Amino acid sequence: MSTYRVELKKVVDDSYDVEIGYGLQERLIEDIANGLVGKLHRFAVITDSEVEPLYGRPICEKLLEAGYQAEMFTFPAGEESKTREVKAELEDAMLEKEYRRDCCVIAVGGGVVTDLAGFLAGTFGRGVPFINYATTLLAAADASVGGKTAVDTPRATNLIGLFNQPEKVYIDIAAWKTLPERQIRSGLAETIKHACLADREFFDYLDTHMEEILALEPDVCSHIAETNCRIKYEVVMKDERESGLREVLNLGHTVGRAIETLSEYRLLHGEAVSIGLVAEVDLAVHLGLLVAADRDRVVRLLEKAGLPTAIPDYIDREALVKKLYTDKKVRDGKLRFVLQDGIGSIKEFSPGVYAEQVEESVARDIILQMA
């Protein structure tokens, strides 16, 4: 018998830039020409049916005009498309067009697009580079930064995926003008979440400037985009693969993701997270981590943003309690919640531990009280 040891120690630098601005399509082409993805000349532009005519097709055309090979790959817009089946359809379409490892994926759109395309890039040809061109406030606040890519399953959201960092992220604030108001409000839920977990001053800013934010005034949009990125990358840089600290970014998501799935995506992600944040602050008050006045401030800010704060009547409360167990923070069959320690801070329950075990009976009481 022989034994061989395969030495594969590596030093990997997955650093990348996040560029925030207005009308960044030309900048994207310039960066590619300047070697952003090396000498690759073939690009798969992946987007959804709503973003394709607005940004996907123009970016594809600019690539062709610049002398690159580029094809558009489009799937139906909506969370319902973020599945293994749609990922396979996109992969098959790329293979049919003779795409192999000598290509780069450009994800153009919101969180569904960046999640799905980033996952595809991580597995296609055992991994090809990808670029995120984020066109929504939700993607700017959450999905485009951090490298978490995934698809949904009938059981729960984001259970199948991988960590895969992009070559660069472009956050085009000009694209927000093309969004329906409901999408803007949905994106604000993740923004409010960031303020709740890391920056009380930012929370106050959102409270004071909500009217200007909803009107998409340039200065405030730039400020919230930059602050969202700062809060998120400060967490991700310390814990890229969610071994501890990064769990704080799941604030409001234990209940939120469960509601999102049970609503069969009638609720947008941010709308579900908003309801999850209300459940979280109610639980934090119950556990003595948050005073009632701060709880009320969080709920009022969500309402000011036009977000839902109550569980819809069509969602069965007992089914919701059971669905909580599909959350990725569950350990040994026990529910765990990330909880605020006041506005702008997260409770660290022990060194490096940011989620607390909560009995099902307590979680059920909170959910029933919200009804």
Side-chain angles (χ1 to χ4, degrees):
M1 179 183 292
S2 298
T3 300
Y4 297 90
R5 180 172 179 79
V6 181
E7 292 283 356
L8 293 173
K9 296 179 181 178
K10 297 179 181 179
V11 176
V12 179
D13 185 355
D14 279 335
S15 304
Y16 58 93
D17 291 331
V18 178
E19 184 165 346
I20 301 169
Y22 287 78
L24 299 176
Q25 297 176 49
E26 293 292 347
R27 179 65 170 170
L28 166 65
I29 305 303
E30 290 173 9
D31 286 345
I32 290 171
N34 290 329
L36 178 61
V37 291
K39 296 182 180 180
L40 293 179
H41 276 72
R42 193 161 200 204
F43 295 87
V45 179
I46 297 180
T47 189
D48 67 32
S49 54
E50 291 181 355
V51 177
E52 178 187 343
L54 298 170
Y55 285 91
R57 183 61 58 186
I59 285 174
C60 192
E61 290 172 355
K62 287 181 184 297
L63 286 165
L64 292 170
E65 290 168 3
Y68 297 103
Q69 299 176 57
E71 298 272 359
M72 177 72 58
F73 299 91
T74 306
F75 60 87
E79 188 77 24
E80 300 90 340
S81 290
K82 204 175 84 171
T83 65
R84 286 172 285 186
E85 291 76 16
V86 171
K87 177 176 177 284
E89 290 170 7
L90 291 168
E91 290 163 340
D92 288 343
M94 289 175 63
L95 292 171
E96 181 69 23
K97 295 285 187 178
E98 302 297 331
Y99 276 78
R100 298 296 184 264
R101 295 196 66 190
D102 59 341
C103 73
C104 173
V105 168
I106 303 179
V108 183
V112 171
V113 175
T114 58
D115 275 4
L116 182 56
F119 185 17
L120 180 152
T123 60
F124 190 84
R126 297 192 178 95
V128 298
F130 79 106
I131 297 165
N132 279 337
Y133 193 97
T135 62
T136 69
L137 173 55
L138 183 64
D142 184 43
S144 66
V145 179
K148 289 173 72 172
T149 70
V151 293
D152 301 333
T153 68
R155 182 165 177 78
T157 63
N158 296 328
L159 283 183
I160 308 295
L162 49 77
F163 290 95
N164 189 26
Q165 303 298 343
E167 301 300 310
K168 185 170 180 178
V169 175
Y170 299 84
I171 294 176
D172 190 346
I173 300 174
W176 299 0
K177 287 284 189 181
T178 67
L179 298 173
E181 185 176 285
R182 187 183 177 197
Q183 290 281 357
I184 294 294
R185 296 182 187 277
S186 175
L188 282 171
E190 292 283 359
T191 301
I192 292 169
K193 177 204 76 176
H194 282 154
C196 285
L197 71 89
D199 194 330
R200 189 181 185 105
E201 183 177 332
F202 186 42
F203 185 96
D204 294 338
Y205 179 89
L206 296 174
D207 197 16
T208 303
H209 294 84
M210 186 57 69
E211 186 175 332
E212 297 97 309
I213 294 168
L214 292 172
L216 299 180
E217 293 189 8
D219 288 346
V220 295
C221 287
S222 295
H223 180 64
I224 63 174
E226 291 165 7
T227 307
N228 271 322
C229 283
R230 173 182 60 78
I231 290 170
K232 186 159 188 183
Y233 77 63
E234 285 177 352
V235 172
V236 171
M237 283 192 300
K238 297 174 184 175
D239 181 16
E240 179 190 355
R241 295 181 176 267
E242 203 169 65
S243 59
L245 176 63
R246 189 166 176 171
E247 282 191 328
V248 304
L249 297 174
N250 281 300
L251 185 71
H253 282 59
T254 302
V255 173
R257 284 201 185 101
I259 288 176
E260 184 179 10
T261 304
L262 287 175
S263 77
E264 297 181 338
Y265 305 110
R266 281 178 278 182
L267 288 171
L268 298 178
H269 177 69
E271 293 170 337
V273 168
S274 175
I275 300 168
L277 286 170
V278 176
E280 177 269 324
V281 292
D282 285 348
L283 181 56
V285 170
H286 176 82
L287 297 175
L289 300 175
L290 195 69
V291 297
D294 281 348
R295 178 263 180 206
D296 293 343
R297 284 200 69 199
V298 172
V299 174
R300 283 198 301 269
L301 182 57
L302 293 167
E303 291 173 342
K304 187 181 286 190
L307 288 160
T309 56
I311 300 171
D313 291 339
Y314 60 78
I315 291 181
D316 180 85
R317 274 50 174 184
E318 284 300 322
L320 178 55
V321 172
K322 291 183 175 63
K323 185 62 71 173
L324 298 180
Y325 285 94
T326 63
D327 186 69
K328 295 190 294 294
K329 294 184 296 300
V330 168
R331 297 288 184 274
D332 299 320
K334 302 294 184 181
L335 297 174
R336 296 167 69 245
F337 285 76
V338 174
L339 296 164
Q340 288 177 239
D341 187 12
I343 292 176
S345 180
I346 291 294
K347 177 67 175 177
E348 186 175 10
F349 294 96
S350 60
V353 177
Y354 296 89
E356 174 74 335
Q357 183 175 312
V358 173
E359 292 299 322
E360 180 184 303
S361 59
V362 175
R364 177 181 287 104
D365 288 345
I366 294 297
I367 286 170
L368 292 178
Q369 290 168 15
M370 289 180 65

